[in-house]
Amino acid sequence: MTGAAKTIDGVTPAGLSVMDATVVLIGVVVGIGIFGFPPLVAQHATSEAMYIALWCAGGLVMLVGALCYAELGSAYPGAGGEYLYLTRAWGARVGLMFAWARCTVIQTGAIAVVAYIYGDYAQRLMPLGAHGPALHAAISVVALTALNVVGTRYSKRLQWVFTVLTLLALSAVLVASLSASDGDTAPLAAPTALVGNPAGLMGMGMVFVLLTYGGWNEAAYLSGELRDPGRNMSRVLLIGTAVVTGAYVLTNLALLEIFGLQGLRDTPALAADVMQLAAGPYAAALLSLTICATALSTINGTIITGARVYYALGRDVPKLHALSGWSARNETPVAALLVQGAITLALVGLGAFSQNSVQTLVAYTAPVFWLFMLLVAASVWRLRQRDPQRARPFRVPLYPLPPLLLGLTCAGLVVSSAVYAGAGALIGLAVLAAGVPLLHLLKPARLPG
């Protein structure tokens, strides 16, 4: 949803109610990550109390970030999202670097991460050998890229169906967790002491938590169509954050009750393991199949949106014009999809040679993502200074505290992910640096959107 509500025959539609917008926000945030990232969070938590505290802190960051994005989205409701905000606040060169980062690191890395989560569950249903998760991940990228090259009209209609499936799967895991915790389980192993800087461990834990909370930036697009956004946007964000945080905290408390912290660290496909404990192997297989479907939906949706960034880059930079090729027959950017698919497959290959594929790929994307998120947080202040007369239907309450808090959090996550995440982080930063020559390709800039 981008842009303000359209006018039909001179009448402005009522738009989204508070409940409509809240449901959309929850549906966007609650995704496949809750089935893949808890073990990785546990691997960076020194105690059960820290583990739960990280999930609570993630909810706070979600709220603060969504408030900042809601102001930006209500003031600049045109298409483009962060690309538009960064270009207006910091100039066309920063916007171009963000587009490069999104194409080569952020979006493609996100597709590869979800593809590996899919691969872990698909491997349980159809084992393909020692590198089965990587093969399943690669097959999913190739198949869904091909589907989008053929055309996206039908695939886009499936997104809401699979969002409902995701919520049903999460509910099933929670119910199964409660059932399993009432039964006889093996004694929980004491957690192994973690080696490393506690601050660094906690920072990397927050990286995985906030990936699970990812999607709150979509609040920027809700503000343009919400009824009375100045009054209702804060209600949407407070209710949505409370529901998502409550669901995540309750789910993780149940997981700790079943597995303990160490068991959770050692569980690659936790939802299937929970269901197997509660209802047997057939239920575990059914849930794995459902999670595979939701993962494919996430991959498909990310492929759709990601390819449009390549298309915009080709449109705005003459020497990259080949990326702007569009198939009128299939209503899809074919060249952009093929380039995106090739980069994503290379990242899947990178993950295949690492001990923990998902963790390596998150390390690849995290420093770059949080660096630009830091600039977006600072854009709230920058645009108030540069464009004070702009109408802002929603203004961040307690300004300047929320953008300052978000900026400091992002800065800490840049440092944590760059210093403590290993070689994957260095590769991601190197790819970002490789985009610097693109700045010389930029034509005299016009503001997008």
Side-chain angles (χ1 to χ4, degrees), residues 22-33:
T22 301
V23 169
V24 172
L25 181 60
I26 293 169
V28 169
V29 173
V30 179
I32 195 66

Side-chain angles (χ1 to χ4, degrees), residues 387-431:
D387 196 8
Q389 303 305 316
R390 186 81 176 191
R392 289 174 169 80
F394 177 80
R395 300 175 72 90
V396 174
L398 303 178
Y399 177 85
L401 185 58
L404 178 62
L405 180 58
L406 179 62
L408 291 174
T409 300
C410 293
L413 291 170
V414 169
V415 173
S416 294
S417 55
V419 174
Y420 299 101
L426 298 178
I427 296 172
L429 290 169
V431 172

Side-chain angles (χ1 to χ4, degrees), residues 23-322:
V23 169
V24 172
L25 181 60
I26 293 169
V28 169
V29 173
V30 179
I32 195 66
I34 190 60
F35 302 118
F37 291 132
L40 297 175
V41 177
Q43 291 168 17
H44 293 85
T46 57
S47 66
E48 293 187 354
M50 177 186 284
Y51 177 77
I52 295 300
L54 287 171
W55 289 101
C56 293
L60 177 61
V61 174
M62 172 187 165
L63 175 61
V64 171
L67 289 170
C68 294
Y69 268 75
E71 173 169 322
L72 293 170
S74 66
Y76 305 97
E82 292 98 334
Y83 176 57
L84 172 60
Y85 312 147
L86 291 170
T87 300
R88 286 186 174 274
W90 308 106
R93 295 182 185 276
V94 174
L96 179 63
M97 283 303 293
F98 171 75
W100 165 259
R102 189 169 172 87
C103 290
T104 59
V105 179
I106 298 172
Q107 196 83 354
T108 46
I111 296 170
V113 167
V114 178
Y116 264 105
I117 294 175
Y118 162 79
D120 285 334
Y121 281 92
Q123 175 73 354
R124 288 183 165 235
L125 298 172
M126 184 183 296
L128 294 179
H131 294 290
L135 290 173
H136 280 294
I139 291 169
S140 70
V141 171
V142 171
L144 290 174
T145 298
L147 174 66
N148 280 278
V149 167
V150 171
T152 60
R153 284 177 295 176
Y154 299 109
S155 61
K156 286 190 292 186
R157 295 174 185 174
L158 294 176
Q159 294 304 308
W160 274 106
V161 174
F162 284 122
T163 296
V164 173
L165 283 176
T166 302
L167 294 173
L168 290 175
L170 182 59
S171 301
V173 171
L174 183 56
V175 171
S177 299
L178 297 174
S179 301
S181 64
D182 291 336
D184 295 328
T185 58
L188 300 180
T192 303
L194 300 179
V195 178
N197 184 314
L201 289 169
M202 186 164 60
M204 277 306 299
M206 277 298 292
V207 168
F208 293 113
V209 165
L210 291 173
L211 278 171
T212 315
Y213 279 97
W216 45 260
N217 52 315
E218 297 301 316
Y221 303 106
L222 297 177
S223 58
E225 298 182 37
L226 184 66
R227 300 172 193 165
D228 192 4
R231 184 182 68 172
N232 288 334
M233 197 66 216
S234 58
R235 298 179 182 179
V236 171
L237 296 173
L238 286 170
I239 297 170
T241 301
V243 172
V244 172
T245 305
Y248 282 178
V249 170
L250 286 174
T251 299
N252 283 286
L253 283 170
L255 293 174
L256 284 177
E257 179 69 20
I258 295 172
F259 296 108
L261 188 60
Q262 186 59 44
L264 195 51
R265 292 171 181 168
D266 299 333
T267 304
L270 63 89
D273 288 342
V274 170
M275 192 61 76
Q276 175 135 350
L277 284 171
Y282 292 109
L286 179 61
L287 184 64
S288 292
L289 187 61
T290 303
I291 291 174
C292 285
T294 61
L296 290 173
S297 172
T298 301
I299 297 168
N300 185 57
T302 312
I303 286 174
I304 292 172
T305 58
R308 272 61 182 175
V309 179
Y310 292 81
Y311 172 79
L313 191 60
R315 179 197 60 200
D316 293 345
V317 181
K319 292 186 179 181
L320 299 178
H321 181 69

